[in-house]
């Protein structure tokens, strides 16, 4: 029997109109600006502004009382509202609450001479998934409008304990299960560097906001690349930690109850130092006392100092040029060549990485995600009858079905167990494969980290991001991975390459999608991958790689 829509609930479009009106009323009128016309694609420099200081410098200014938390919060609020008018990146805007929190922090510092914690006074943006008491968290579902949280997610409490000022929440795709950002409640988030391109997803609102300097530090979540894809598409730094380092309890999400390939929260920011500051603050707050799935592991300074990696001297990086499934576009290939040359110049060794069973890992991950996702999406949307979004295309007429979306009603519990068993076996095989690289590094150690694409392309036109396995395989293996910027698409340097020997028709489709003019000005980032629970080492190696990159990125 089909699910019926309760008769006492307004039509879903009326719910959306009312929610959008409330969002508009939450913006102080004096912060409204006249944005450039829709024909202006690159809005990254609007309005002209001086560079945002790195997170560590902001914290120093706040701790010394050179700047007040209220003034810093207002400054980022104004910038965030401008960003929202340019790329539609925000969901919840709670000015009075955030400024009251900032004022409390200023009073505490004035009266005690001490900071509340390591993030004292720092405005932090949150993906529309992290519950804040008294606010709605829709994750892009019309059906969840009007559902107010009765308590904070654990990570929100941790950030507040550390002295942070949560001040906005950011846009996501309906269901979260998309690498782009569009939903029936808040609409589409676009890329600040080219609004004809996607900002990525599912943390696309965070990516766009931070790229427009509307937040110094944001929190995204990553189930298959949702921190890393928008970080890469928007030219940021981002980190996907291993399972259990950052608390997740109390957040709303998709596929809740699926406990094989877990979602994780991670930082997104415009400077690599912000990644370290966030992770160190969160794990040192002992989040395992409030989330039963968090691993009891404080910040490990020895690991950060790369004690197990030759203390950071003569590192050996392995470059994965492609994953054996989809060959990257010319700008991605060029960024890998830039990284290789820079690392060799800095005295590090670089070898090639041979990917094993990436296609199978991608298939396994999708089978786990989609074991019951179709039913979850149907049950959730049936409350209001809102349509389930099946494409991120601007025009659905010729939309192709993405492989990461559910293709059927699901699989049985027994079938799911077999998939999970296969994943366990491949994780062991990949571990052995990594260990075996000790014979080719010349350091006496296995490869220290892998450097690879975050996607086979830079930010795509809307609806065209249909491949996530450059990130999702690391979720399946539970390897921490960081994103760092390298360059931007250059139509002269990144001309279309001659056809290669295609792996299959999909690889050919990705090749044919590339047009340097369509991808013009898009940021190009890479991904550094380490081994399970090596977050500190991954952060330090990302700092080393970032420092080696040419200064003109």
């Amino acid at each position: 029997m089909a699910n019926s829509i309760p008769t006492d609930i307004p039509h879903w479009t009326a719910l959306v109109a009312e929610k959008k009106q409330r969002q508009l009323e939450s913006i102080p009128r004096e912060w409204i600006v006249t944005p450039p016309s829709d024909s202006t694609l690159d809005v990254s420099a609007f309005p002209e502004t001086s560079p945002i200081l790195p997170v560590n410098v902001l914290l120093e200014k706040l701790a010394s009382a050179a700047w007040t938390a209220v003034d810093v919060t207002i400054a980022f609020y104004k910038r965030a509202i401008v960003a929202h008018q340019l790329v539609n990146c925000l969901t919840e805007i709670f000015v009075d609450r955030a400024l009251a929190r900032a004022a409390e922090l200023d009073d505490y510092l004035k009266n005690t001479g001490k900071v509340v914690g390591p993030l004292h006074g720092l405005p932090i943006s949150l993906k529309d998934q992290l519950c804040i008491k008294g606010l709605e968290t829709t994750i892009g579902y019309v059906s969840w409008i009007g559902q107010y949280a009765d308590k904070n997610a654990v990570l929100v409490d941790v950030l507040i304990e550390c002295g942070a000022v949560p001040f906005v929440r950011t846009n996501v795709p309906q269901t979260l299960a998309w690498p782009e950002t569009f939903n029936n409640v808040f609409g589409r988030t676009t890329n600040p560097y080219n609004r004809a391109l996607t900002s990525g997803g599912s943390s696309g609102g965070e990516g766009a906001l931070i790229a427009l300097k509307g937040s110094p530090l944001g929190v995204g979540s990553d189930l298959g690349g949702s921190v890393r894809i928008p970080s890469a598409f928007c030219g940021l730094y981002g980190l996907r930690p291993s399972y259990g380092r950052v608390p997740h309890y109390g957040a709303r999400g998709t596929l809740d109850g699926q406990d094989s390939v877990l979602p994780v929260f991670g930082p997104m920011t415009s400077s690599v130092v912000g990644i370290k500051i966030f992770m160190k603050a969160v794990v040192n707050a002992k989040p395992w006392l409030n989330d039963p799935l968090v691993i009891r592991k404080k910040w490990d300074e020895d690991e950060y100092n790369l004690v197990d990696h030759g203390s950071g001297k003569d590192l050996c990086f392995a470059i994965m040029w492609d994953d054996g499934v989809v060959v990257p576009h010319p700008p991605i290939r060029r960024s890998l060549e830039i990284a290789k040359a820079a690392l060799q110049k800095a005295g590090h060794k670089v070898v090639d990485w041979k990917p094993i069973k990436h296609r199978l890992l991608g298939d396994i991950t999708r089978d786990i995600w989609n074991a019951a996702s179709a039913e979850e999406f149907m049950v959730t949307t049936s409350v209001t009858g809102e349509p389930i979004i099946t494409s991120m295309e601007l025009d659905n007429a010729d939309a192709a079905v993405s492989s990461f979306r559910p293709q059927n009603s699901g699989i049985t519990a027994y079938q799911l167990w077999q998939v999970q068993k296969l994943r366990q076996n491949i994780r062991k095989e990949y571990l052995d494969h990594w260990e075996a690289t000790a014979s080719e590094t010349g350091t006496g150690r296995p490869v220290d980290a892998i450097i690879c694409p975050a996607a086979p392309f830079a930010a795509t036109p809307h609806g065209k991001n249909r491949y996530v396995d450059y990130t999702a395989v690391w979720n399946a293996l539970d390897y921490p991975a960081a994103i760092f910027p390298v360059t931007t698409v250059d139509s002269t340097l990144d001309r279309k390459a001659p056809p290669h020997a295609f792996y299959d028709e999909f690889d050919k489709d990705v090749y044919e999608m590339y047009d340097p003019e369509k991808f013009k000005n898009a940021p190009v980032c890479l991904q550094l991958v380490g081994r399970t629970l090596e977050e500190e080492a991954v952060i330090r190696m990302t700092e080393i790689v970032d420092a080696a990159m040419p200064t003109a990125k």
Side-chain angles (χ1 to χ4, degrees), residues 27-299:
I27 301 174
R29 306 311 298 167
E30 62 271 22
W31 293 353
I32 300 294
V33 300
T34 302
S37 67
D38 291 345
S39 61
T40 303
L41 297 181
D42 183 356
V43 294
S44 59
F46 179 88
E48 290 186 11
T49 183
S50 43
I52 296 297
L53 294 174
V55 171
N56 60 320
V57 178
L58 284 171
L59 288 170
E60 288 168 5
K61 295 283 189 182
L62 287 159
S64 67
W67 295 343
T68 67
V70 168
D71 286 346
V72 170
T73 301
I74 289 173
F76 278 103
Y77 252 132
K78 290 180 177 180
R79 185 71 197 181
I81 297 305
V82 170
H84 180 60
Q85 293 170 79
L86 296 171
V87 295
N88 191 43
C89 54
L90 303 182
T91 59
E92 304 296 327
I93 302 159
F94 36 99
V95 178
D96 291 343
R97 176 190 295 227
L99 292 182
R101 162 68 176 164
E104 290 174 0
L105 293 168
D106 288 335
D107 288 344
Y108 184 88
L109 179 60
K110 181 179 179 180
N111 294 330
T112 68
K114 299 177 182 178
V115 295
V116 166
L119 302 179
H120 181 97
L122 186 70
I124 289 186
S125 49
L126 305 173
K127 185 177 184 176
D128 194 70
Q129 188 181 353
L130 280 154
C131 294
I132 298 176
K133 184 178 180 179
L135 298 181
E136 296 155 287
T137 306
T138 69
I139 70 165
Y141 279 124
V142 178
S143 298
W144 287 359
I145 292 174
Q147 297 183 14
Y148 294 85
D150 57 6
K151 59 183 176 181
N152 293 335
V154 169
L155 180 55
V156 174
D157 281 336
V158 167
L159 293 172
I160 290 171
E161 178 188 334
C162 290
V165 182
F167 77 116
V168 290
R169 285 223 309 260
T170 53
N171 204 21
V172 298
Q174 182 200 54
T175 76
L176 300 180
W178 285 98
E180 301 189 35
T181 298
F182 170 71
N183 62 68
N184 293 320
V185 183
F186 299 104
R188 186 185 304 274
T189 300
T190 57
N191 194 303
Y193 294 96
N194 183 336
R195 292 191 288 180
L197 306 177
T198 180
S199 61
S202 60
S203 310
E206 279 298 327
L209 174 67
I210 298 167
L212 281 167
K213 306 177 180 67
S215 172
L217 179 67
V219 181
S221 68
D222 197 309
L223 176 65
S226 292
V227 162
R228 289 162 292 157
I229 292 169
S231 293
F233 285 7
C234 295
L236 306 175
Y237 299 85
L239 177 71
R240 181 261 169 203
S242 306
Y243 310 146
R245 287 307 300 274
V246 177
H248 195 276
Y249 189 82
R252 302 197 85 168
T254 197
L255 314 186
D256 280 350
Q258 179 276 116
D259 62 355
S260 181
V261 179
L262 296 172
V264 295
F265 286 120
M268 301 168 64
T269 184
S270 56
S271 62
V272 68
V273 68
I275 302 294
K276 178 186 177 184
I277 287 171
F278 173 91
M279 287 299 298
K280 189 172 183 178
V282 169
V283 300
N284 280 346
K286 300 182 180 179
W288 51 83
L289 298 178
N290 293 292
D291 184 335
L293 297 185
V294 173
I295 293 165
R296 195 181 186 93
K297 181 186 176 186
K298 286 188 176 182
W299 179 265

Side-chain angles (χ1 to χ4, degrees), residues 309-332:
H309 296 271
S311 298
K313 299 173 183 176
D314 302 321
L315 293 170
C316 181
F317 296 96
I319 290 186
M320 188 178 85
W321 299 94
D322 74 68
D323 65 352
V325 184
V326 177
V327 172
H329 286 171
I332 310 301

Side-chain angles (χ1 to χ4, degrees), residues 312-389:
K313 299 173 183 176
D314 302 321
L315 293 170
C316 181
F317 296 96
I319 290 186
M320 188 178 85
W321 299 94
D322 74 68
D323 65 352
V325 184
V326 177
V327 172
H329 286 171
I332 310 301
R333 173 80 188 196
R334 180 168 63 87
S335 70
L336 290 167
E337 292 168 347
I338 290 171
K340 178 178 180 178
L343 289 169
Q344 289 176 328
K345 184 178 179 180
H348 302 294
K349 187 169 182 179
V350 180
V351 299
D352 291 340
W353 182 262
K354 180 184 177 183
I356 60 168
K357 298 188 176 180
H358 277 222
R359 186 187 296 273
L360 181 56
L361 274 168
D363 291 341
I364 288 169
T365 306
R366 282 182 286 279
D367 285 344
I368 292 170
W369 289 341
N370 294 332
S373 58
E375 182 177 4
E376 178 183 295
F377 301 162
M378 180 189 68
V379 169
T380 305
T381 57
S382 67
V383 175
T384 58
E386 66 172 297
I388 298 174
I389 294 170

